[in-house]
Every structure is written in structure tokens, then in C-alpha cells.
Amino acid sequence: MAATTAQPMGSLPSGLGICTTAPDIFYLPELVFGGLVWILVASTKVSPPNPLGWVMFVSVFCFVMTFLWMIIFVAGGHKNRSGWAAADIAYHGLAAFFYLSAGVILAYITMVNKNKLPFKNYQIDIAAVVFAFLATLLYFIHAILSAIRWKNF
């Protein structure tokens, strides 16, 4: 049975087509979970500031870049230019690596400060850890599916 999308082989989707293709359907969940990490980390007392600064950088950077990347794909700015499929793999692989590092740091800081934090802040930090690892998983799946799409070009 043929795929439900009408994308020709060797073509990247644009417009609302990104809402129906396998790797590109992850843009919105990546934005949601990345935004939740950003909001949850920003809503608690930042202690120690340096490692959590990395978590904030990763969440804000990936949120903004994913949004811009999605806008480029929706607007069709990637059409008739070579290298976009490879750049898609590179960006999402880098974002997965960044979120993995941020999630590990956030989990470690949360575990170390477990007894020092008020229970509400501890719950918020745990939620941020969970969302960071979910964002890592989404970016990783997106990178793998983008690599499969690139291989089929």
C-alpha cells in the first residue's frame, strides 16, 4: 500500500505537508516539550546557576531554532537547495545531544538538591527532567527518521 502523502521521492515537504510526514510531524511535540522544560526550569529557584544555565540555554536555543526550522519548512525555503536533508539530520542530532546533556545535568542537580528544595520545587524539577528526556527522545527519533529520508533521496 502506498504512503498517504503525495511527496515525490527526493522531495522535502513544505506547507501543511510537514504535518503529515514522518520526521516532520515531531516539530510541534518538540516545541511543546522543549517549551515546558524552559518554563519549568525558569519557574524554580536556580541553584546552582551555572549548570542550570546550560539547561536554560539548551531549552531556549532548541525552542527558537526548531521554531525557525519549522517556519523554513512550512514556507518552502528549503526547496531547490541541496543539503537541507543533511542539515535536518545534523540539527536534530545536535539538539538530541544537547537535550541529553541538559537532561542528565538537570537530573543530577535535582537528585543532589532533593532534601534542600521545597517539595513543590522538587516536583517541578522532576517534571522538567521528564520533559527534557522526552524532548531528547523526540529529537533523536526525528534525526533517525530524517536520516532514513535522506538515505532514500
Side-chain angles (χ1 to χ4, degrees), residues 5-8 10-25 27 68-81 84 88 149 153:
T5 60
Q7 291 295 327
S11 172
L12 293 175
S14 63
L16 293 179
I18 71 165
C19 296
T20 61
T21 57
D24 302 317
I25 202 165
Y27 281 124
L68 292 174
W69 202 253
M70 185 179 72
I71 295 299
I72 289 170
F73 270 66
V74 168
H78 62 287
K79 294 290 184 185
N80 300 325
R81 293 181 180 94
W84 277 98
D88 195 35
R149 177 173 59 190
F153 269 115

Side-chain angles (χ1 to χ4, degrees), residues 80-97:
N80 300 325
R81 293 181 180 94
S82 63
W84 277 98
D88 195 35
I89 298 165
Y91 168 67
H92 285 92
L94 182 68
F97 177 74

Side-chain angles (χ1 to χ4, degrees), residues 7-102:
Q7 291 295 327
M9 197 66 151
S11 172
L12 293 175
S14 63
L16 293 179
I18 71 165
C19 296
T20 61
T21 57
D24 302 317
I25 202 165
F26 290 106
Y27 281 124
L28 291 178
E30 290 166 356
L31 286 171
V32 168
F33 290 127
L36 284 170
V37 172
W38 178 7
I39 291 166
L40 290 170
V41 171
S43 70
T44 61
K45 183 176 182 276
V46 178
S47 174
N50 197 18
L52 291 183
W54 173 249
V55 176
M56 285 299 292
F57 167 77
V58 168
S59 60
V60 172
F61 173 79
C62 288
F63 185 88
V64 170
M65 289 303 295
T66 300
F67 183 74
L68 292 174
W69 202 253
M70 185 179 72
I71 295 299
I72 289 170
F73 270 66
V74 168
H78 62 287
K79 294 290 184 185
N80 300 325
R81 293 181 180 94
S82 63
W84 277 98
D88 195 35
I89 298 165
Y91 168 67
H92 285 92
L94 182 68
F97 177 74
F98 276 6
Y99 258 113
L100 180 62
S101 69

Side-chain angles (χ1 to χ4, degrees), residues 105-152:
I105 289 169
L106 187 57
Y108 176 75
I109 295 298
T110 301
M111 193 173 67
V112 167
N113 291 332
K114 178 168 90 170
N115 297 325
K116 300 175 191 173
L117 294 173
F119 188 68
K120 181 181 178 187
N121 286 355
Y122 180 68
Q123 288 178 322
I124 290 171
D125 286 348
I126 290 293
V129 169
V130 169
F131 289 132
F133 284 117
L134 284 173
T136 301
L137 180 65
L138 289 170
Y139 279 109
F140 181 73
I141 292 170
H142 195 144
I144 295 299
L145 293 175
S146 293
I148 291 169
R149 177 173 59 190
W150 176 66
K151 183 182 155 217
N152 291 331

